[in-house]
Amino acid sequence: MPPYTIFYFPTRGRCEAMRMLLADQGQSWKEEVVTKETWLQGPLKASCLYGQLPKFQDGDLTLYQSNAILRHLGRSLGLYGKDQREAALVDMVNDGVEDLRRLCGHLIHHSCEEGKAQYVQELPRHLKPFETLLSQNQGGQAFIVSDQISFADYNLLDLLLSHQVLVPGCLDSFPLLSAYVTRLNTRPKLKAFLASPEHVNRPIFGGRKI
């Protein structure tokens, strides 16, 4: 049996970054797909610590909260920087990704039609910090922190790929971010995962119109 199990809805949502991480690191995992009908029945939701998914199992360890899961995998698989300084920077990047993910989630779930124009207008301001971080690390030719991949890279990549669908051309004025996405997408195991039917056929935003 695979050591990891992901319990989540049939969407990319807050689990695709951890799937990218596991695939790229050559790890196997099991998917327990939770349908809307099952979730609305109540017992599963009541059993979840915070009343929400994802739920993640690593052997006998059960975790909730997507960023806690990413950090756990980062520590377990050596994807958390080489020292405390780098780990602090990785945390900072991941918190920045979370800020933008929350804004995007609010747009998708609450105000997509009326709020999209303003979101698109303000998006460059939210992407610029990541372009700046890349420029400060080996001229943007490495990862978001240091010269080795971290869990924050997978989270950032997932967010950027989603935004390229939501706002086509959003990276055109960010050459380092654009090259970063292209570079990560060529990693063999990650490239294979991104081309797989499981990834391609999984809705980005839970089937909502964007």
Side-chain angles (χ1 to χ4, degrees):
M1 290 289 292
Y4 306 113
T5 304
I6 295 172
F7 298 78
Y8 199 55
F9 306 110
T11 181
R12 298 180 194 177
R14 285 187 167 271
C15 280
E16 210 65 7
M18 65 185 77
R19 293 177 180 124
M20 290 180 184
L21 183 159
L22 290 170
D24 193 45
Q25 295 298 313
Q27 302 295 310
S28 60
W29 71 95
K30 180 182 177 183
E31 295 274 356
E32 290 287 351
V33 179
V34 179
T35 64
K36 182 179 179 180
E37 291 72 25
T38 298
W39 187 246
L40 291 177
Q41 287 172 5
L44 176 60
K45 182 175 183 178
S47 74
C48 293
L49 184 62
Y50 296 100
Q52 61 190 27
L53 297 176
K55 173 183 176 181
F56 184 85
Q57 285 188 261
D58 177 357
D60 61 357
L61 174 65
T62 300
L63 291 174
Y64 301 89
Q65 301 290 348
S66 58
N67 286 298
I69 296 165
L70 285 173
R71 288 192 293 269
H72 168 67
L73 291 172
R75 284 187 289 267
S76 299
L77 300 174
L79 306 170
Y80 217 138
K82 296 190 292 290
D83 52 35
Q84 290 188 1
R85 178 181 182 278
E86 289 187 4
L89 292 172
V90 169
D91 279 331
M92 179 185 74
V93 171
N94 202 63
D95 284 358
V97 172
E98 176 62 16
D99 285 346
L100 182 51
R101 190 180 292 279
R102 284 180 177 272
L103 290 174
C104 182
H106 186 271
L107 173 72
I108 297 302
H109 293 281
H110 301 290
S111 60
C112 189
E113 294 303 324
E114 60 271 25
K116 186 172 180 180
Q118 181 179 354
Y119 185 88
V120 170
Q121 183 178 0
E122 296 178 355
L123 183 57
R125 175 169 62 87
H126 297 295
L127 292 175
K128 185 177 179 181
F130 303 113
E131 181 84 356
T132 298
L133 286 166
L134 282 173
S135 72
Q136 295 172 348
N137 183 29
Q138 301 182 38
Q141 302 305 307
F143 300 102
I144 197 68
V145 175
S146 188
D147 58 355
Q148 67 179 34
I149 201 164
S150 71
F151 73 88
D153 285 290
Y154 298 105
N155 207 12
L156 177 57
L157 176 62
D158 175 49
L159 189 67
L160 295 175
L161 291 175
S162 297
H163 275 81
Q164 286 182 313
V165 175
L166 180 65
V167 187
C170 65
L171 299 185
D172 288 353
S173 58
F174 297 100
L176 297 181
L177 275 177
S178 182
Y180 169 82
V181 169
T182 299
R183 190 164 61 251
L184 291 187
N185 283 352
T186 61
R187 292 169 64 88
K189 292 176 183 176
L190 186 53
K191 181 179 180 180
F193 171 77
L194 293 174
S196 69
E198 291 79 10
H199 171 77
V200 172
N201 296 329
R202 193 179 286 128
I204 301 175
F205 300 112
R208 288 174 170 79
K209 301 296 183 183
I210 57 175

